[in-house]
Amino acid sequence: MTTQQQTRRVAAERPTHPAPGTLDEVFAHTAGRHPSRVAIQDGRHRLTYAQAERQGGTLASALVLGGVQLGDPLVVDCADHRQALVAQLGVLKAGGVCVPPLDGPGGAVDAARHTGARAILCSRATYDPRARGVPSLALDDPATWRKIAAVPPERALPRSSPEGGAHLLLDPHGPDRLIDHRSWLRSAADRTRRVGAPAGAVAVDQGPLSRPALAALWWAFSRGTALHTAPWVPDPDWPLDGAGDDVALLTPEAYARHLDRGRPPAEPHRTGAGPSTVVLIGSPCPRELVARHFAARPGVRLWSEFAPTDGAVPWTAHELLARDAVRPHEPGAGSPVPPVRLAVRGARGATLPRGESGTIVALGPPRFPEDAQDSGWRGRWTPDHTLDITAPPATARGPQAPSGRPEREAT
């Protein structure tokens, strides 16, 4: 037998390890290979992959012993990103679904009542005494961890599955959005293919469990890098001048506020400071913001991701260039992100031909066409198969109670 034949035989007999299929498996994979690598840089505090993995597993065992079943919702309302990460890992390993709180006072209690959550994972600062009947675990309370540490490890962990729900995003004005593990990982992989793999940290300026924070968090962890959150001392230029950051993921509205507060656009961008790429997620990026970006940071790439229904998983994406700031029309929303399938529909639900303006809709799977999601935005297809935004959603709709019927994300 030749050396080449022996090599092939060894390779064929070597056991293959499937790629991680869930968010917690992806995190555990990096924790096993690089235990001391920083996962969260939260102001002056750091949390390594190994620390978060160990704490998340301990929490998951306690949740399973407490009766958490597969698919059970648990509200996560933590004061900082480190605690929120441990809470998410614990819920996901236990096979549960993470539920961010609703906006406003009492948002965690409202989310628990709306979803029938088994528990609220919180901090001492976010603990709400009105959560009667729903156990609350403050993850920054030493007494909580003394109780959790006494629980024997659960051998059945992790209990998550790629098709299982990872996060239930509540919408007071429409159907709730259930995003499974597979959708998060696919979204992160698509962003990496478009934008490039972040070599340094991914920076985000919003709080734990916010839509942009979730998108940034799981994108960073899918690449085995760190999430960088706001510094301890307020800095109007951060994250635009954060040292060591490779990408900043923001909403267009937040980015506009950063440019308002930061260094005047006329001052040249300092070489080596700040991210090399800014990714905007949520609503389309207006032409005026494109102009301000390239005036202030001409060497920084700008990407726009249109995520109309939940602000976390994009429907379309494209890179914006300096010439987009001087075009007569808004830059638009870009091309669909596979496997999302989009259509522009008229008043009676008919699909409109290219060039005609109507409502932008994400089509459901071929077997379940009734799962189509109406974005509320109006647009039209351009000749190069990109989506041109013609009008934002109507603002006349008043606040409504949550529908209670979750819809799966378009991806």
Side-chain angles (χ1 to χ4, degrees):
M1 182 181 294
T2 65
T3 302
Q4 186 176 17
Q5 290 173 328
Q6 291 177 341
T7 302
R8 290 176 179 173
R9 179 176 178 179
V10 170
E13 295 176 349
R14 183 180 299 152
T16 58
H17 301 281
T22 65
L23 299 177
D24 49 289
E25 286 178 349
V26 167
F27 193 92
H29 180 72
T30 302
R33 297 183 61 188
H34 308 284
S36 61
R37 182 173 292 178
V38 174
I40 298 278
Q41 176 77 48
D42 194 10
R44 295 180 297 182
H45 304 284
R46 292 183 175 185
L47 182 68
T48 67
Y49 274 85
Q51 290 171 332
E53 175 68 11
R54 182 174 61 254
Q55 294 175 24
T58 302
L59 176 59
S61 296
L63 293 176
V64 173
L65 183 66
V68 171
Q69 303 293 318
L70 294 177
D72 278 353
L74 293 98
V75 176
V76 179
D77 184 25
C78 296
D80 66 52
H81 291 266
R82 291 170 293 123
Q83 296 165 22
L85 170 59
V86 171
Q88 290 180 74
L89 289 175
V91 172
L92 298 178
K93 288 176 181 294
V97 179
C98 301
V99 182
L102 288 164
D103 293 334
V109 175
D110 292 341
R113 291 172 177 168
H114 172 60
T115 60
R118 294 294 301 265
I120 298 175
L121 305 181
C122 60
S123 306
R124 284 178 288 187
T126 60
Y127 172 76
D128 192 336
R130 294 176 297 172
R132 298 182 181 89
V134 182
S136 297
L137 300 178
L139 298 186
D140 58 349
D141 188 343
T144 299
W145 285 104
R146 283 195 295 269
K147 296 178 182 178
I148 292 176
V151 175
E154 172 59 52
R155 295 184 178 182
L157 298 179
R159 304 196 302 174
S160 54
S161 65
E163 298 80 13
H167 295 81
L168 179 60
L169 306 182
L170 306 182
D171 184 357
H173 306 298
D176 304 328
R177 306 291 174 185
L178 181 64
I179 305 181
D180 57 29
H181 294 257
R182 183 173 48 188
S183 295
W184 275 124
L185 294 176
R186 188 159 47 201
S187 175
D190 288 337
R191 187 177 293 114
T192 297
R193 281 191 290 268
R194 293 190 305 269
V195 180
V202 177
V204 67
D205 70 337
Q206 296 197 26
L209 274 293
S210 64
R211 306 317 198 238
L214 288 174
L217 182 88
W218 295 112
W219 183 30
F221 295 158
S222 73
R223 304 305 306 175
T225 187
L227 180 76
H228 189 185
T229 67
W232 190 262
V233 178
D235 180 1
D237 287 338
W238 191 90
L240 305 184
D241 288 332
D245 296 335
D246 188 55
V247 179
L249 194 148
L250 312 165
T251 64
E253 296 79 12
Y255 189 41
R257 291 194 296 270
H258 280 296
L259 292 178
D260 288 339
R261 294 195 302 261
R263 194 181 326 105
E267 183 176 345
H269 176 58
R270 292 177 292 182
T271 303
S276 60
T277 304
V278 172
V279 178
L280 305 180
I281 188 169
S283 59
C285 179
R287 183 175 61 248
E288 178 266 343
L289 187 56
V290 177
R292 295 176 60 194
H293 166 84
F294 284 103
R297 330 191 77 77
V300 176
R301 298 172 66 200
L302 181 65
W303 280 81
S304 176
E305 297 183 350
F306 179 50
T309 54
D310 57 36
V313 178
W315 288 13
T316 66
H318 64 145
E319 183 173 11
L320 295 168
L321 305 175
R323 64 172 178 264
D324 292 312
V326 297
R327 287 182 173 176
H329 303 290
E330 295 288 352
S335 301
V337 176
V340 175
R341 300 180 304 126
L342 300 180
V344 176
R345 290 182 172 175
R348 298 184 178 181
T351 300
L352 301 179
R354 192 170 300 180
E356 292 191 22
S357 181
T359 302
I360 301 171
V361 176
L363 304 177
R367 293 178 57 189
F368 303 100
E370 67 276 6
D371 289 345
Q373 300 177 25
D374 186 338
S375 70
W377 290 77
R378 294 184 61 81
R380 59 172 173 256
W381 291 112
T382 64
D384 60 352
H385 198 63
T386 60
L387 201 58
D388 185 20
I389 302 295
T390 58
T395 57
R397 180 178 59 178
Q400 302 174 12
S403 67
R405 177 180 177 270
E407 289 189 0
R408 284 199 171 268
E409 186 52 50
T411 54

